[in-house]
Amino acid sequence: MTVSDRAIFLQERTPLSVLPQATLEPLAQALQPITLAAGETVVEADQPPQGLYILWEGKLGTEATLGGASFLPGAVLNLEPLLLDQPVEKTIQTLSESTLWFVDRNQFQTLIQQHPDILQTFTRQLVDVVKRLSSEAEQEQERQAILRPYLVAKARRGVIGRSRYANRLRAQLREAAGDRNSVLIFGEPGLEKDNLAALIHFGSEQRRLPIIKVNCGQLQASGADLFGRAGGRMGLLAALGAGTLVLNNPRELGADLAEAVGELLETGQYRPVSRDGETVPPVTAEARIILLAEQAVPALDDRVEETIKVPPLRVRKADIEDWVNYYLSLISRRRSTGRLTLTPEAVRRLQSYDFPDNLRELENLVERAAAQLSGGGLITEEIIWPAQSKKKQLRLNLLNRYPNLRRFLRSPWWPDRINYGITLGLFAVVIALLWFGPQQRSENVALTVFWAWWWPLVLLSFPFVGRLWCAVCPFMIYGEVTQWISQKLFPGKLKRWPREAAERWGGWFLFGLFTLILVWEEVWNLEDAAYLSACLLLLITAGAMIFSALFERRFWCRYLCPIGGMNGMFAKLSITELRAQQGTCSAECTTYQCYKGGPQKGEGQETNGCPLYSHPAQLEDNRDCVLCMTCLKACPHRSVELNLRPPGIELWTTHRPRASEVALMFLLLGAVYLHRLPEIQTQLGIQLPLDTVVGHSLVAFGVLALPALLPLSVEGGQWLWRKTQGLPRRPAVRLAYGYLPLVWAANLAHYLRLGLGEGGRILPVSLATFGASGVNLPVWVAHPAVVAFLQGVTLLLGMALSVWLTVKICRQSGPQRWIQHTCTGLLGLSLWWLIPGF
């Protein structure tokens, strides 16, 4: 090849074409051909350049790109290192047999000295390159600065759950990640729709490109920050390039901006904002658009190409357990603690709640529950509670209204000094009087107090102070003393509660125990047998002591005590309640000392925690609160409230019905008929087989079951009719609580006879107990007509309240409500016939 041909090649095929012809010819004349086999090194990194190489034929490549040609014929090697006197940056090898033209270093330096235009020309080019790179770097910095506040680094988590809703959502996200279509992700608040958008982006081929999330309410009305300004600052779309733009809450866009976004979705083009209102040519957007919406946006919904509707948590409750386990695993890893697990009862409690704030609310709830456990452990339903589903209406916090009441309830007097200074010893005296004193009620003050004072007074207290009696109950006090002694003699950890078994069978156990007590009371006439009444009290006390020695806190009181079961049931009618402010508990409390106990904190006192394992913020009714005020003393945030409220409001709002409790309610109604066996025989003119223990016992069991036959037979008839008509069966347990006021009134009306007829004889009976005569001492007894009148008024009140409560529980008028009204009326008439007997 001639020198002229080489010069033509340099001018037409190489970057040296910028040099004049007078310079190219001496360079072409100096070139020497070199032939190298495949795999040989042409230049070596970090070494001084040996000379200038120009590829004539073949393929060259760097070490990082072996297997593909990086340099084609016409490529110039070592030009920049020779001009700047720098070492070579990369090692270059032949990928095939190649022919190169070569000028050694010294000869090239001589050419530069003879032809200075070579250095000048390439210096100018280097300056242009530097300017261009500097401009690109500035643009990249500007682009990053624009995008940085909105960048989404990664997806937080995948779609959790095994329900068909979760599987369908995963499939929709995979399908959306496979294309570049615009997407609308639609759903309620708290469903992590922004995370779903991130899953689409990071699951697509554009995962290495940026994704940004923009809240539409923060965009300028003109749209300049989104579309940019003509001839000015670039907008988010231009800065984003081919990445993904997530627009959150497009409903907050103004009308003009919403129309511009709609045009972007429909045509893929937008117009930068001009300052003087002139028309600007449209710009094609490369970005993918994803909308996140909680409400319909008519201007945009029809313009997106794909729509993904995210199901709320209330319709995919099968996924709740998976979500909770996931959150618990994150918490365990973050704290480096043991494994946290959830009981089946707690899962069911969560699944019974609708979660209006969806996953966000569930996560906060799990965080609160886990905070109550110091390490790994079991999360029970008592420490995981959803927000209240019903608004607190018509409540008056008595602790704020009466500061002296608050001071007393937080003082050592309530209930510890009363319990261990008075009740503990007084109960022993009562038992001694019953056991060793006279056996007839007319001569034993303890027997009179128990049957003529305690029963009517405790029944009268239920509508006002609920289960307050349990706070000073002697059974519980002796149980706590036993627990303390057992721990001193046999140190060790008490057993945890078998909650699942207790929740399932505890109510039926106390129902059975109460049944046996009532039959025993009737057959052996405990009302007039002092030592047998002492045996009854000792039997219940023994149960409390045995279970207190085995289990922590007051297991007997919560699940097994028959008196506690009755108190908890009637306490639902109370006009007072102890609750806590859920917002305060969830936002401020981190120790949960009211539930699990702990040292003094702020104004919160040192306590051992709730004896019944109840948290005041999760109470749905008065059943599991004995008003011991442990939570009030422990709380450092003044969250605990003692509220005045409409009577029994929980029965038609937050109440959870229990079949065992309904059975106990009808048992107590049957007890009234059992106590009136003489009146039944007289009114009906029959003679029941009461002479033998077996016959009397069988009659007692039958009479106890008698009152439940009417509502149960009516419900059974309804069930059969609905079954024959192909209609769904309606649960009757919830509505059965409408009888509760009538049951309370019937028991109170029965014991008014003893309270008003014998309670006023307390002074002469007290002297008779110790063998003295109290003939001249005053007595206060009501006339039988007055007693009968008060009994009748009590029954009428109970019937009216039962009708009212049935209406509140049933809500919708229908046959079921009117049938229960009829049953209430029939039961009330029968009680009227037996008790006052007008």
Side-chain angles (χ1 to χ4, degrees):
M1 180 179 291
T2 64
V3 173
S4 178
D5 293 335
R6 293 177 188 174
I8 293 173
F9 177 80
L10 293 177
Q11 191 173 27
E12 293 181 352
R13 301 285 300 276
T14 70
L16 302 176
S17 58
V18 296
L19 296 176
Q21 185 69 26
T23 304
L24 287 177
E25 289 182 359
L27 178 60
Q29 188 174 4
L31 294 175
Q32 299 295 326
I34 298 176
T35 302
L36 300 175
E40 292 191 34
T41 300
V42 181
V43 296
E44 189 172 353
D46 300 325
Q47 297 296 324
Q50 297 179 357
L52 183 71
Y53 292 92
I54 299 174
L55 181 60
W56 166 250
E57 291 178 343
K59 296 180 181 179
L60 305 179
T62 62
E63 289 181 330
T65 57
L66 291 178
S70 294
F71 300 95
L72 299 176
V76 178
L77 309 181
N78 291 350
L79 177 60
E80 185 176 338
L82 288 169
L83 293 174
L84 300 178
D85 194 19
Q86 293 178 345
V88 177
E89 292 184 358
K90 299 178 181 179
T91 297
I92 300 176
Q93 297 177 338
T94 57
L95 302 179
S96 63
E97 184 179 348
S98 304
T99 301
L100 298 94
W101 291 335
F102 173 72
V103 179
D104 65 22
R105 178 189 184 98
N106 294 331
Q107 191 174 3
F108 185 73
Q109 294 297 336
T110 301
L111 287 172
I112 291 176
Q113 292 176 3
Q114 295 174 353
H115 302 278
D117 54 336
I118 297 177
L119 184 59
Q120 294 174 359
T121 300
F122 286 102
T123 300
R124 285 195 300 269
Q125 287 189 341
L126 288 174
V127 170
D128 292 341
V129 169
V130 169
K131 288 181 178 179
R132 178 173 55 81
L133 293 176
S134 177
S135 176
E136 291 177 356
E138 290 178 359
Q139 289 181 354
E140 180 63 21
Q141 289 178 353
E142 181 184 2
R143 190 176 76 88
Q144 292 295 335
I146 292 172
L147 296 179
R148 189 175 297 114
Y150 308 99
L151 283 173
V152 178
K154 61 180 180 178
R156 295 189 299 277
R157 59 184 65 90
V159 177
I160 295 173
R162 293 164 288 179
S163 68
R164 59 188 178 91
Y165 295 101
N167 293 332
R168 185 176 64 186
L169 183 58
R170 274 190 287 267
Q172 289 177 314
L173 295 178
R174 283 194 298 269
E175 182 179 353
D179 54 46
R180 294 278 292 170
N181 293 337
S182 57
V183 180
L184 168 63
I185 301 179
F186 184 82
E188 296 179 1
L191 286 173
E192 297 187 343
K193 296 183 288 296
D194 55 344
N195 184 65
L196 299 181
L199 287 173
I200 293 175
H201 173 81
F202 289 107
S204 69
E205 295 180 355
Q206 289 74 35
R207 64 178 64 89
R208 298 188 182 278
L209 297 175
I211 173 176
I212 61 173
K213 187 184 80 168
V214 180
N215 291 320
C216 294
Q218 298 176 354
L219 290 174
Q220 298 177 13
S222 64
D225 43 0
L226 179 61
F227 300 130
R229 292 189 179 275
R233 179 183 174 89
M234 73 173 70
L236 288 169
L237 282 170
L240 185 60
T244 301
L245 171 64
V246 180
L247 293 176
N248 188 32
N249 292 328
R251 190 178 180 86
E252 297 180 2
L253 294 171
D256 294 339
L257 189 54
E259 181 58 33
V261 172
E263 183 180 349
L264 172 65
L265 290 169
E266 197 166 3
T267 66
Q269 294 183 329
Y270 66 94
R271 297 178 185 272
V273 178
S274 60
R275 297 184 182 276
D276 52 6
E278 65 181 3
T279 303
V280 179
V283 178
T284 300
E286 301 179 71
R288 180 183 195 173
I289 311 297
I290 298 179
L291 304 181
L292 309 180
E294 298 171 3
Q295 296 175 311
V297 186
L300 302 178
D301 293 352
D302 296 335
R303 300 186 179 186
V304 293
E305 296 167 289
E306 297 181 26
T307 299
I308 297 177
K309 293 184 178 180
V310 186
L313 199 55
R314 65 175 176 274
V315 305
R316 42 191 283 217
K317 293 185 176 181
D319 293 336
I320 287 180
E321 185 173 5
D322 291 330
W323 275 101
V324 172
N325 289 333
Y326 170 76
Y327 290 137
L328 291 177
S329 67
L330 293 182
I331 294 170
S332 299
R333 282 202 301 270
R334 186 169 66 244
R335 297 181 181 175
S336 299
T337 59
R339 183 169 178 263
L340 295 168
T341 56
L342 206 65
T343 64
E345 294 79 15
V347 174
R348 287 193 292 270
R349 184 181 183 87
L350 291 175
Q351 291 173 340
S352 66
Y353 180 62
D354 284 341
F355 288 99
D357 209 18
N358 292 290
L359 296 175
R360 187 186 304 125
E361 183 176 2
L362 177 61
E363 183 175 9
N364 291 337
L365 188 150
V366 174
E367 289 277 0
R368 293 199 306 267
Q372 299 179 57
L373 300 177
S374 56
L378 198 64
I379 296 179
T380 64
E381 62 175 326
E382 281 75 24
I383 57 177
I384 188 164
W385 72 92
Q388 292 175 343
S389 56
K390 300 292 182 182
K391 293 182 178 179
K392 295 175 64 177
Q393 298 177 349
L394 303 176
R395 299 303 204 274
L396 174 64
N397 187 0
L398 298 175
L399 301 179
N400 291 341
R401 187 68 176 268
Y402 304 103
N404 289 334
L405 174 63
R406 179 185 180 85
R407 281 192 288 272
F408 170 71
L409 294 177
R410 284 175 52 85
S411 72
W413 279 99
W414 183 261
D416 290 345
R417 289 183 181 175
I418 295 176
N419 285 339
Y420 296 101
I422 300 174
T423 309
L424 185 68
L426 184 60
F427 184 70
V429 172
V430 169
I431 294 297
L433 289 175
L434 292 173
W435 196 268
F436 299 108
Q439 294 300 298
Q440 288 74 35
R441 190 169 67 246
S442 60
E443 299 177 352
N444 193 309
V445 64
L447 200 59
T448 300
V449 167
F450 180 57
W451 293 104
W453 281 73
W454 185 85
W455 271 104
L457 288 177
V458 76
L459 286 167
L460 275 171
S461 71
F462 289 140
F464 300 99
V465 291
R467 203 176 168 178
L468 185 70
W469 159 254
C470 291
V472 293
C473 170
F475 312 139
M476 172 271 300
I477 298 170
Y478 277 86
E480 288 187 339
V481 171
T482 302
Q483 194 172 78
W484 182 82
I485 293 175
S486 68
Q487 287 298 291
K488 290 294 184 181
L489 297 177
F490 309 100
K493 191 174 182 179
L494 295 169
K495 293 183 179 179
R496 298 182 66 86
W497 292 3
R499 291 183 179 274
E500 185 174 359
E503 287 288 345
R504 185 175 182 181
W505 302 110
W508 295 109
F509 172 85
L510 67 85
F511 167 79
L513 186 57
F514 218 131
T515 303
L516 295 176
I517 289 173
L518 289 173
V519 173
W520 184 25
E521 174 189 336
E522 170 62 26
V523 175
W524 276 270
N525 191 23
L526 264 63
E527 290 184 1
D528 206 33
Y531 83 97
L532 290 178
S533 294
C535 289
L536 171 61
L537 296 178
L538 289 174
L539 174 66
I540 301 175
T541 306
M545 294 171 69
I546 292 171
F547 281 90
S548 294
L550 296 175
F551 297 100
E552 57 186 1
R553 307 201 188 186
R554 301 181 193 171
F555 179 75
W556 170 266
C557 297
R558 173 151 184 172
Y559 290 113
L560 305 178
C561 178
I563 303 299
M566 177 192 71
N567 294 352
M569 181 183 66
F570 283 134
K572 299 179 181 187
L573 298 173
S574 175
I575 62 173
T576 57
E577 65 178 10
L578 185 137
R579 298 293 187 268
Q581 302 171 13
Q582 288 193 343
T584 302
C585 293
S586 61
E588 299 184 24
C589 187
T590 57
T591 58
Y592 300 93
Q593 291 176 232
C594 61
Y595 174 79
K596 61 182 182 180
Q600 180 179 357
K601 181 181 178 182
E603 72 171 37
Q605 304 173 16
E606 180 180 1
T607 68
N608 293 322
C610 177
L612 262 61
Y613 268 130
S614 295
H615 195 294
Q618 57 86 28
L619 287 174
E620 295 178 343
D621 57 39
N622 289 343
R623 173 179 177 265
D624 296 325
C625 178
V626 297
L627 296 176
C628 64
M629 299 300 163
T630 301
C631 54
L632 176 64
K633 295 177 180 181
C635 180
H637 306 294
R638 296 209 169 201
S639 175
V640 178
E641 301 176 338
L642 182 63
N643 293 322
L644 199 62
R645 65 172 196 177
I649 188 174
E650 63 200 36
L651 291 170
W652 69 85
T653 54
T654 59
H655 182 247
R656 184 173 60 178
R658 295 173 173 85
S660 60
E661 200 168 51
V662 171
L664 177 63
M665 179 182 66
F666 284 118
L667 177 70
L668 292 174
L669 182 61
V672 178
Y673 291 86
L674 181 62
H675 296 323
R676 295 286 170 164
L677 274 181
E679 286 85 348
I680 292 177
Q681 293 186 97
T682 301
Q683 296 282 14
L684 297 179
I686 59 175
Q687 186 64 39
L688 297 172
L690 307 180
D691 298 333
T692 64
V693 172
V694 174
H696 201 167
S697 299
L698 292 175
V699 170
F701 280 114
V703 172
L704 285 175
L706 186 64
L709 294 179
L710 178 62
L712 289 179
S713 60
V714 169
E715 174 60 24
Q718 268 195 311
W719 181 83
L720 289 174
W721 178 79
R722 297 184 71 85
K723 184 176 180 181
T724 57
Q725 299 296 318
L727 299 173
R729 181 186 176 189
R730 294 179 178 177
V733 176
R734 179 179 177 84
L735 190 58
Y737 282 88
Y739 295 109
L740 189 57
L742 178 62
V743 176
W744 166 78
N747 279 272
L748 178 58
H750 166 72
Y751 282 104
L752 281 177
R753 177 182 62 180
L754 292 176
L756 297 176
E758 299 184 16
R761 302 180 184 274
I762 191 71
L763 294 180
V765 173
S766 298
L767 291 180
T769 304
F770 301 99
S773 174
V775 175
N776 296 324
L777 292 177
V779 296
W780 299 271
V781 294
H783 190 276
V786 174
V787 174
F789 173 77
L790 293 177
Q791 288 174 325
V793 170
T794 302
L795 287 175
L796 288 175
L797 177 64
M799 292 172 63
L801 290 176
S802 284
V803 171
W804 172 76
L805 185 57
T806 300
V807 171
K808 298 294 290 185
I809 296 175
C810 195
R811 296 183 183 179
Q812 295 180 352
S813 180
Q816 193 172 15
R817 182 202 286 185
W818 290 106
I819 290 173
Q820 181 152 326
H821 289 340
T822 303
C823 291
T824 300
L826 293 175
L827 290 171
L829 289 175
S830 67
L831 291 166
W832 184 284
W833 173 64
L834 283 178
I835 299 177
F838 290 156

